[in-house]
Structures are given as structure tokens and as C-alpha cells.
Amino acid sequence: MHLPRLLFADQLGPHYDDGGPIVLVEATAVLGRRTYHRAKAHLILSALRHRARELGDRVEFLHAEHYRDVLDGRELEVINPTSWGARALVAELGASVLPSRGFVTSEQDFAGWADGRPASRLVMEKFYRHVRTTTGILMRGPEPEGGRFNFDHDNRQPPPKNAVGLGLPDPWAPVEDDIDAEVRRDLDRLVAEGRVHLIGQDGPRRFAATRAEALAALDDFIETRLSDFGPFEDASLIGDSTMAHSRLSVPLNLGLLHPREVIDAVVAAYHAGQVPLPSAEAVVRQIMGWRDWVWHLYWHLGENYVAESNFLAAHEPLPPAFLELDGGAVEARCVSHVLDEVSRTGWAHHIQRLMILGNWSLQRGYEPSALSDWFINAFVDGTPWVMPANVVGMSQHADGGIVATKPYASGGAYISKMTDFCGGCRFNPKIRLGPEACPFTAGYWAFLDRVEPLIRGNHRMAQPLAGLRRLVDREEVVAQERERTSW
């Protein structure tokens, strides 16, 4: 006889269901202990309730303040959950634990690959090539399809000149139903009662909350956006918030899609001649490479990785514009636009996260663990396992080089090249001193000045630091940014 299987809100797809009895829990305290985006809270509840309806008589759908209120003393099995906190709860409950699912590679696979390698040698590209080779995905015998493992160099085109958007159809969007209406009423009530506190705008649900919706979103991406994803994956336009991005991180992180089925669909489209290899490889790398890698690093680097990582001694608190998602409080058009988009949708694509929000935070010295929490809370696809390596490691270089070999800092020139954000901005990306000085351009040099003693041993930073030492107005730029109140 099967033990009832407790499924968490990120384990809602068929690959978590082996046919036995299911237990789902909607615990209000989960929403109350963080300041989530309204769209994220809505998505979690909608997905849980839709899954309960689909399972029918096979599910016991429990409502409580805390998980323990309805699970203590019960015999349960679980698929190993996706956070340190959830695993501690499962251990406390004494549940029978099955191996984790929802990734291309297992924790044992990663442990075998990482064995004997110091943390600084756990390079994503090497892991990605290892997985490509062992799975045979996009391989022709021992050689990679097209003669290269990585086409990233081909995938860095700026947006089309003078374009408002890429000219692609609007991305797939769900049609709300009675469950969504009920969720909206319940969230309104919980906010009015002071039991949860939310940020961001309410609005129509934009992301898949069911298996059928997730499959529709996948099909739509392959048909309408995949071909353009590769060349424009790093580009941004004010008038096109989605560009050619899939937005499939949301149903993937809810467990509605298995990453292997996304990869298989993308590779099949390539082999059918429907999409170019650089675009197909870019998606495979992001999912099978980066997504699996940051999942494994979450466990490999330990529970205290975030708390103990602050290599660049960044201690500034997050500003109200971030905490309240208030783009109107920001004059820099790029930051203002991205914050407004996050407020509106709970989502922004990866380059806006890394090179706008992350780059800004790195230059200003925002405290890394607070920033990681903010990304978890404010983004619909943010999870405790996703953000540490992405934010603390990649974006903020707070681990000193485990995830990224150098800080991801840039001036306004990069933003001007890869976006149309600088047009109409009151700041000039070519100016670093004076009233029109771009806070990214000037901030880049002020950042290097602040962290120079900590990074001068990094050979990848030798050229930028040499440029800093040649800067004739270094002291003035640093003083200007220290006193900057307008950004």
C-alpha cells in the first residue's frame, strides 16, 4: 500500500505523481513570512488549487496556517524538496524521502562530477559539456553538433536599430477562470486582515499554472520565438518586455514542465530544420547547463553560502525604490523601466536582472543576502535554490569567484549598445562627471575604486584596474558618486 505523497507547490507536474494518494497543503504562513509579489502569490495559490481540482478524489487538499498544523504525526512520503527549510520540515515530520526530481541530472551525478574539484573549479561550462557528452544531447558521436559546444559568441546581437520591438506575436497568455477569481478574493482578504503583505501590481495572470497551460506556452515559444532567441537573448527594448524569451522558467520552477521535455522539444525543432542551431543550443545551455548547475551548487555550497558570502564588503541597504518596486522614484530610464516592469508583471528577462538591476546593486554595494531575498520575493520564478548562485555569486561576486571569475560590472556604454533605454534618459552614458553623468558610467569607476584592494589579485580585472589608475578625474568621480542623490 502506497503512503500518501506530500507534494509541495513546486512539484505539480506529472513527473512527481506515481499514481498513489496525494496530499497538498495550502499554508497561509508560507505567504506571510515573506513580502511576495502579488503575481507570485496568486500564481502559487492558483497552481495549487488547479492541481487539486485535476487530481479529484486522489488528493487530500488541506488548508492551514502552518504545514505542521495538519501534517504532524502522519505517515507520508515526499520527493526530496527544493530548499534547506523544506528539507528540515520533512526531516522533522519523519517522512519517507524519495530522490529529488525535476532536473536533467541527479544530485549523485553532480557529486560524482564535482568529486575532487575545489569550489573554484566547479565551472558551469565544464559541467555543461560533461552533461552534453553523457546524455548525447546535441552531439554527433563524441563531437558537438555544429563542431562547437557553445554558440554564445554568436548570440550577442544588439536590438534592431530604431525598432520598437522584435515584431513577434504577443507571447502565450492564460485565460483566467473561477479559481483565479477565488484566489484574487482570498488575497484581497488576507491583505486586508494584515496576514500577508504583498508588493507589485495585481493584474491578469500571465504565466502557466496548469500542465495544459505549460505545454501551450512551450509550443508557443518554439513556434513563435525560439528562432530569434539566440541572436537577441541579451538585447532589450522599452516597447518589447518579452523579446524572444520563453518565460518557461515559471512553469519549470512550479514543476509543471520537466526540463528534459523542453530540451527535447527544442532539439526536435532544430533537427526538423525549424530553428537555427545557435538558438537551440542557447536554450539547452540555459536549462541543462545553467539551471542544473545552480541547483546543484545550492546544495554543494551549503546552507550558509548566502549568509557567509560578502567578499566585496557590500553593506548598503536596499533602497525604497527596490523594496516598493517604484520605478517612478528613479530617474535613470533603464532602472526605472525594469522596476516598473517587475512591478507590473513580476518578471524581467535575465539580462535586465544581471546587467541593470544586478549591475546597479553591485556598483552601489547593496547587501548581497538582502538582494537575493528581494529577487526571490519580487520575481514569479524566484526560488530559494535559484537565487543564491545567480545573485550572490554571478551578479554580486559576493563569493569571491566560485560562480563567476570576475564581477559583472559595466558602464553605460554596454546598456546603450544592447538596449534603447538610454534614448530620452536625462543621463548620458558617455559622460561620467557633472549633472548629466550616467550613474552606471560614473558608478562603474566608483565601484572599481571601492573594491580595488579586494580584486587587484584577479588577473581578469587587470585591464579595468589599469584604466582606473589612468583616470584623470578619478577622485572627482568617486566623490560625485558618494554624494549622489539623484539616480
Side-chain angles (χ1 to χ4, degrees):
M1 184 173 178
H2 290 289
L3 287 175
R5 177 174 297 175
L6 170 66
L7 294 179
F8 289 90
D10 55 0
Q11 298 177 328
L12 301 179
H15 47 288
Y16 294 98
D17 179 9
D18 296 328
I22 298 294
V23 176
L24 294 174
V25 179
E26 187 178 300
T28 305
V30 172
L31 300 179
R33 66 171 175 252
R34 287 179 172 271
T35 304
Y36 281 128
H37 196 292
R38 171 84 189 218
K40 183 188 187 85
H42 185 120
L43 187 69
I44 292 169
L45 294 185
S46 181
L48 270 172
R49 295 180 188 185
H50 277 100
R51 186 61 173 140
R53 177 179 285 178
E54 290 167 356
L55 288 167
D57 294 341
R58 277 207 302 127
V59 70
E60 186 180 2
F61 190 26
L62 304 173
H63 296 75
E65 188 68 19
H66 303 275
Y67 282 101
R68 294 173 185 83
D69 296 341
V70 290
L71 298 179
D72 270 342
R74 295 194 55 168
E75 285 192 83
L76 299 164
E77 70 174 15
V78 300
I79 294 168
N80 221 359
T82 60
S83 71
W84 289 103
R87 289 193 177 183
L89 169 66
V90 164
E92 183 182 321
L93 293 172
S96 174
V97 180
L98 303 173
S100 57
R101 303 181 186 179
F103 297 87
V104 177
T105 55
S106 70
E107 289 163 59
Q108 290 72 29
D109 293 335
F110 183 82
W113 174 80
D115 186 41
R117 300 172 190 252
S120 61
R121 304 293 294 173
L122 300 175
V123 179
M124 192 284 288
E125 184 67 22
K126 291 181 178 180
F127 172 71
Y128 169 58
R129 295 183 183 204
H130 167 75
V131 181
R132 284 272 300 274
T133 302
T134 55
T135 61
I137 293 171
L138 283 182
M139 300 292 292
R140 288 192 178 269
E143 298 301 319
E145 185 79 22
R148 290 156 57 188
F149 278 101
N150 188 322
F151 288 83
D152 192 43
H153 182 74
D154 300 342
N155 291 343
R156 297 174 180 172
Q157 292 186 27
K161 212 163 197 177
N162 301 318
V164 175
L166 291 182
L168 303 175
D170 289 340
W172 173 91
V175 176
E176 289 197 1
D177 60 13
D178 60 303
I179 289 179
D180 290 298
E182 178 188 59
V183 165
R184 186 164 283 107
R185 290 193 298 270
D186 287 346
L187 286 175
D188 287 343
R189 174 178 53 80
L190 290 169
V191 169
E193 293 171 355
R195 297 170 65 190
V196 302
H197 303 276
L198 303 174
I199 56 174
Q201 301 173 32
D202 187 15
R205 178 165 61 83
R206 293 176 170 85
F207 303 95
T210 71
R211 170 72 175 170
E213 291 178 346
L215 291 172
L218 171 59
D219 290 345
D220 179 77
F221 168 63
I222 290 174
E223 182 180 341
T224 66
R225 305 188 115 68
L226 176 56
S227 288
D228 291 295
F229 174 70
F232 298 117
E233 65 176 309
D234 287 355
S236 292
L237 289 167
I238 287 275
D240 192 339
S241 60
T242 306
M243 302 292 283
H245 291 268
S246 73
R247 308 192 308 171
L248 294 177
S249 57
V250 181
L252 278 167
N253 291 357
L254 288 169
L256 295 169
L257 291 174
H258 192 284
R260 185 61 193 259
E261 70 184 319
V262 178
I263 290 168
D264 289 347
V266 167
V267 171
Y270 161 68
H271 284 306
Q274 297 169 3
V275 300
L277 178 57
S279 288
E281 187 276 321
V283 175
V284 172
R285 179 162 26 92
Q286 284 202 352
I287 297 176
M288 187 170 72
W290 189 265
R291 184 176 186 270
D292 262 44
W293 186 61
V294 300
W295 157 255
H296 292 307
L297 286 183
Y298 177 70
W299 304 109
H300 188 82
L301 298 177
E303 190 170 2
N304 297 320
Y305 168 76
V306 173
E308 294 175 355
S309 295
N310 200 345
F311 176 73
L312 297 179
H315 299 291
E316 290 297 314
L318 298 186
F322 272 51
L323 296 174
E324 298 164 12
L325 298 179
D326 183 8
V330 180
E331 291 186 84
R333 194 176 185 218
C334 55
V335 180
S336 175
H337 170 73
V338 176
L339 284 176
D340 278 343
E341 280 299 299
V342 177
S343 177
R344 186 175 69 89
T345 68
W347 184 87
H349 68 70
H350 73 275
I351 213 67
Q352 295 175 347
R353 302 186 201 200
L354 178 65
M355 300 310 296
I356 303 295
L357 300 177
N359 187 16
W360 177 266
S361 302
L362 177 67
Q363 291 185 11
R364 264 57 205 175
Y366 296 158
E367 204 277 321
S369 64
L371 185 66
S372 181
D373 277 343
W374 178 79
F375 270 99
I376 291 170
N377 297 345
F379 285 78
V380 288
D381 56 1
T383 71
W385 66 265
V386 163
M387 292 307 176
N390 274 295
V391 176
V392 175
M394 178 75 169
S395 170
Q396 302 303 295
H397 200 67
D399 61 10
I402 294 173
V403 173
T405 55
K406 70 178 184 66
Y408 263 80
S410 78
Y414 176 86
I415 299 170
S416 179
K417 175 185 176 183
M418 296 303 296
T419 81
D420 64 350
F421 295 163
C422 297
C425 182
R426 88 163 192 82
F427 301 113
N428 188 330
K430 298 179 180 179
I431 296 176
R432 65 174 177 260
L433 196 62
E436 295 182 19
C438 171
F440 277 95
T441 301
Y444 173 76
W445 296 113
F447 164 72
L448 290 181
D449 178 86
R450 176 172 65 83
V451 303
E452 181 183 15
L454 300 170
I455 64 171
R456 60 167 61 109
N458 186 329
H459 73 279
R460 294 199 66 194
M461 296 304 295
Q463 185 173 347
L465 291 178
L468 174 70
R469 289 189 284 272
R470 292 193 299 268
L471 209 65
V472 295
D473 49 8
R474 173 175 174 173
E475 290 186 7
E476 292 91 337
V477 170
V478 170
Q480 167 188 271
E481 294 310 295
R482 187 184 304 118
E483 302 301 322
R484 180 183 287 276
T485 58
S486 173
W487 56 278

